[in-house]
Amino acid sequence: MSKYARIVGTGSALPERLVSNAELVAELAARGIETSEDWIVERTGIRQRYLAAPDVGSSVLGARAAREALAAAGVNAADIDLIVVATSTPDFIFPSTACLVQKEIGAHGGAAFDVQAVCSGFVYGLATADAMIRTGMASRALVIGAEVFSRILDWNDRGTCVLFGDGAGAAVLVADDHPGILAARLHADGRHEGILRTPGTVNRGAVCGHPFLTMDGQAVFKLAVSVLDAVARETVEAAGLTLDAVDWLIPHQANVRIIQATGRRLGIAPERVVVTVDRHANTSAASVPLALDLAMRDGRIRPGQHVLLEGVGGGFAWGAALARI
Ligand code: UT7
């Protein structure tokens, strides 16, 4: 049995339609909703987002990201024996988005399932795949974060609709004797489920409850900064390392102020913190793998370096994984 699960390739997919802050502000103004480019950039760091066409779901974006990751890894889809898709915006109630991705990329017969941990989903998926690989249940896995949050936004709520975008990111993990994911830690506290939720559901053919995302932004902000700090320390310690061994910090991309505060508290220099929220806004479970893929492809992350990935969001759920690339 191999000792580690190693990330050997990453990929990403963004929908075609790029919407700048200027365009969004104009669209909202035309409907009487007042916001501004300055507010969005100053409070969040977001400059643009990508929005999926009505016929493009999480499985389409997830499959595109998966193909890119497989190509980067030099792994055939047919050899994948585990697919974990992290999503809160699945194509259907069932089958899982993972099964749809499996069909789309031609990776039949292995395990495939979704994890629902909202913005922590990719880290939850990574920890799950890592555990399954280390225990011999899988040997080549795809972990994907894929979301179309534009479907669950209330476009009349300026407090949330400017914050999110659609997209997908993916990583291929293989069993290896060399590290690898060194440690992962997951947490949740359901007592805070009310501060970030989409509480609607389908019941007897009708939408019941509120089908749009609602958020107490300040409560989420405060909790996020505190748990991202704690779980980063816990994970690095579990790996037997110290924070100065972290070459790159990739926190969930929701708000540049949360990202910067996390880096500051951990004593990680700003140039070691990967920021992509300006490019694609908050893509929930897709945000961490999108940022990871960008930093892998532009050459910032080099073989042998340590990357600390962190997720936080609805549930309230959070977690971190430390990987040697
Ligand atoms: O992915 C899961 C994790 N999610 C997050 O991490 C999000 C965490 N929270 C945040 O990022 C921030 O709390 C927000 C970006 C959501 C809000 O920033 P804030 O600095 O906490 O602003 P606020 O909620 O305190 O609102 C400040 C003001 C309010 O006006 P008043 O009451 O001071 O007059 C809001 O009504 O900003 C107003 N406001 C807006 N103004 C212009 C809220 N949304 C907008 C908007 N444009 N889009």
Side-chain angles (χ1 to χ4, degrees), residues 35 39 43 119 158 196 217-218 220 252 254-255 257-258 282:
T35 180
W39 190 95
R43 299 292 179 123
C119 302
R158 69 175 186 171
L196 179 51
Q218 287 192 2
V220 172
H252 171 48
N255 186 321
R257 292 187 291 139
I258 297 177
N282 183 348

Side-chain angles (χ1 to χ4, degrees), residues 38-307:
D38 284 351
W39 190 95
I40 300 171
V41 173
E42 278 164 24
R43 299 292 179 123
T44 71
I46 294 165
R47 294 182 180 275
Q48 58 183 39
R49 73 283 296 139
Y50 294 81
L51 300 181
D55 60 336
V56 173
S58 292
S59 71
V60 171
L61 295 171
R64 266 179 53 199
R67 282 199 201 91
E68 256 199 39
L70 288 167
V75 169
N76 291 324
D79 295 328
I80 291 292
D81 55 12
L82 170 65
I83 299 178
V84 183
V85 173
T87 186
S88 301
T89 47
D91 289 26
F92 307 130
I93 291 175
F94 69 81
S96 69
T97 306
C99 284
L100 301 177
V101 168
Q102 192 205 48
K103 174 182 158 194
E104 182 63 28
I105 66 173
H108 314 298
F113 58 89
D114 291 359
V115 301
Q116 217 278 35
V118 204
C119 302
S120 306
F122 185 77
V123 172
Y124 265 68
L126 209 57
T128 305
D130 173 51
M132 288 180 70
I133 288 175
R134 283 190 295 103
T135 52
M137 285 182 72
S139 57
R140 289 185 198 82
L142 258 170
V143 180
I144 302 165
E147 303 278 18
V148 284
F149 258 49
S150 58
R151 309 267 159 87
I152 54 166
L153 295 176
D154 177 354
W155 290 95
N156 292 311
D157 174 14
R158 69 175 186 171
T160 54
C161 75
V162 302
L163 304 176
F164 294 88
D166 303 331
V172 175
L173 273 76
V174 299
D176 204 314
D177 292 330
H178 302 286
I181 294 179
L182 299 167
R185 289 293 181 268
L186 304 177
H187 297 282
D189 188 343
R191 288 174 300 178
H192 302 293
E193 58 87 17
I195 62 175
L196 179 51
R197 63 207 304 245
T198 303
T201 187
V202 174
N203 190 339
R204 296 170 191 257
V207 174
C208 290
H210 188 66
F212 298 120
L213 182 149
T214 63
M215 177 167 71
D216 176 345
Q218 287 192 2
V220 172
F221 193 111
K222 280 185 206 141
L223 207 49
V225 170
S226 125
V227 300
L228 287 173
D229 180 76
V231 78
R233 292 175 193 279
E234 182 191 1
T235 305
V236 170
E237 194 183 324
L241 295 173
T242 52
L243 282 163
D244 51 16
V246 174
D247 295 294
W248 298 103
L249 175 66
I250 306 188
H252 171 48
Q253 305 287 315
N255 186 321
V256 76
R257 292 187 291 139
I258 297 177
I259 296 169
Q260 287 167 346
T262 303
R264 249 190 334 266
R265 284 172 70 136
L266 294 172
I268 296 174
E271 58 275 16
R272 292 283 175 190
V273 182
V274 179
V275 177
T276 54
V277 67
D278 53 327
R279 299 169 179 235
H280 51 64
N282 183 348
T283 56
S284 190
S287 92
V288 170
L290 278 169
L292 173 65
D293 184 51
L294 183 81
M296 294 279 282
R297 283 174 193 271
D298 68 18
R300 269 181 283 178
I301 298 175
R302 296 191 306 276
Q305 289 191 324
H306 292 129
V307 180

